[in-house]
Short mmCIF file of all heavy atoms in Angstrom, two decimals:
data_model
loop_
_atom_site.label_atom_id
_atom_site.label_comp_id
_atom_site.label_asym_id
_atom_site.label_seq_id
_atom_site.Cartn_x
_atom_site.Cartn_y
_atom_site.Cartn_z
N GLY L 365 -27.05 0.09 30.71
CA GLY L 365 -26.45 1.38 30.46
C GLY L 365 -25.76 1.55 29.12
O GLY L 365 -25.27 2.64 28.82
N THR L 366 -25.67 0.51 28.31
CA THR L 366 -25.07 0.66 26.99
C THR L 366 -25.93 1.59 26.13
O THR L 366 -27.15 1.53 26.17
CB THR L 366 -24.94 -0.71 26.30
OG1 THR L 366 -24.01 -1.50 27.02
CG2 THR L 366 -24.44 -0.56 24.86
N THR L 367 -25.28 2.45 25.40
CA THR L 367 -25.97 3.38 24.51
C THR L 367 -25.94 2.85 23.09
O THR L 367 -24.90 2.38 22.62
CB THR L 367 -25.28 4.76 24.54
OG1 THR L 367 -25.21 5.22 25.90
CG2 THR L 367 -26.03 5.78 23.70
N LEU L 368 -27.08 2.92 22.39
CA LEU L 368 -27.15 2.55 20.98
C LEU L 368 -27.10 3.82 20.14
O LEU L 368 -27.82 4.78 20.41
CB LEU L 368 -28.45 1.81 20.66
CG LEU L 368 -28.78 0.54 21.44
CD1 LEU L 368 -30.07 -0.07 20.88
CD2 LEU L 368 -27.65 -0.45 21.38
N VAL L 369 -26.25 3.80 19.13
CA VAL L 369 -26.25 4.85 18.12
C VAL L 369 -26.74 4.21 16.84
O VAL L 369 -26.10 3.30 16.31
CB VAL L 369 -24.84 5.46 17.94
CG1 VAL L 369 -24.83 6.45 16.77
CG2 VAL L 369 -24.39 6.15 19.22
N MET L 370 -27.90 4.66 16.36
CA MET L 370 -28.57 3.98 15.26
C MET L 370 -28.63 4.88 14.02
O MET L 370 -29.06 6.03 14.09
CB MET L 370 -30.00 3.59 15.66
CG MET L 370 -30.76 2.83 14.59
SD MET L 370 -32.41 2.34 15.16
CE MET L 370 -31.96 1.16 16.43
N TYR L 371 -28.19 4.34 12.90
CA TYR L 371 -28.22 5.03 11.63
C TYR L 371 -29.39 4.52 10.79
O TYR L 371 -29.84 3.40 10.95
CB TYR L 371 -26.91 4.77 10.86
CG TYR L 371 -25.67 5.29 11.53
CD1 TYR L 371 -25.11 4.63 12.63
CD2 TYR L 371 -25.02 6.43 11.06
CE1 TYR L 371 -23.97 5.10 13.24
CE2 TYR L 371 -23.87 6.91 11.66
CZ TYR L 371 -23.35 6.24 12.75
OH TYR L 371 -22.21 6.70 13.36
N MET L 372 -29.80 5.37 9.83
CA MET L 372 -30.79 4.98 8.82
C MET L 372 -32.06 4.41 9.45
O MET L 372 -32.61 3.42 9.00
CB MET L 372 -30.17 3.95 7.85
CG MET L 372 -28.96 4.50 7.10
SD MET L 372 -28.05 3.25 6.18
CE MET L 372 -27.02 2.52 7.49
N GLY L 373 -32.56 5.09 10.49
CA GLY L 373 -33.68 4.53 11.22
C GLY L 373 -34.99 5.25 11.10
O GLY L 373 -36.00 4.77 11.62
N LEU L 374 -35.02 6.41 10.44
CA LEU L 374 -36.24 7.22 10.48
C LEU L 374 -37.44 6.48 9.88
O LEU L 374 -38.52 6.46 10.45
CB LEU L 374 -36.01 8.54 9.74
CG LEU L 374 -37.13 9.58 9.87
CD1 LEU L 374 -37.38 9.93 11.33
CD2 LEU L 374 -36.80 10.83 9.07
N SER L 375 -37.25 5.87 8.74
CA SER L 375 -38.38 5.20 8.08
C SER L 375 -38.79 3.92 8.79
O SER L 375 -39.93 3.47 8.67
CB SER L 375 -38.03 4.89 6.62
OG SER L 375 -36.90 4.04 6.53
N ASN L 376 -37.88 3.31 9.55
CA ASN L 376 -38.19 2.05 10.24
C ASN L 376 -38.47 2.24 11.73
O ASN L 376 -38.62 1.26 12.45
CB ASN L 376 -37.01 1.07 10.10
CG ASN L 376 -36.94 0.45 8.72
OD1 ASN L 376 -37.87 0.56 7.94
ND2 ASN L 376 -35.82 -0.18 8.42
N MET L 377 -38.53 3.49 12.19
CA MET L 377 -38.66 3.71 13.63
C MET L 377 -39.87 3.05 14.26
O MET L 377 -39.76 2.52 15.38
CB MET L 377 -38.64 5.22 13.90
CG MET L 377 -38.48 5.59 15.38
SD MET L 377 -37.15 4.72 16.29
CE MET L 377 -35.71 5.03 15.28
N PRO L 378 -41.05 2.99 13.64
CA PRO L 378 -42.17 2.30 14.30
C PRO L 378 -41.85 0.85 14.65
O PRO L 378 -42.17 0.39 15.75
CB PRO L 378 -43.29 2.40 13.25
CG PRO L 378 -42.97 3.63 12.48
CD PRO L 378 -41.48 3.66 12.39
N GLN L 379 -41.22 0.12 13.71
CA GLN L 379 -40.87 -1.27 13.98
C GLN L 379 -39.80 -1.38 15.06
O GLN L 379 -39.85 -2.25 15.94
CB GLN L 379 -40.37 -1.96 12.71
CG GLN L 379 -41.38 -1.98 11.57
CD GLN L 379 -41.15 -0.84 10.59
OE1 GLN L 379 -41.17 0.32 10.95
NE2 GLN L 379 -40.94 -1.21 9.33
#
Side-chain angles (χ1 to χ4, degrees):
T366 294
T367 305
L368 304 184
V369 174
M370 182 178 294
Y371 297 76
M372 299 170 279
L374 189 59
S375 60
N376 285 347
M377 192 48 54
Q379 300 97 302

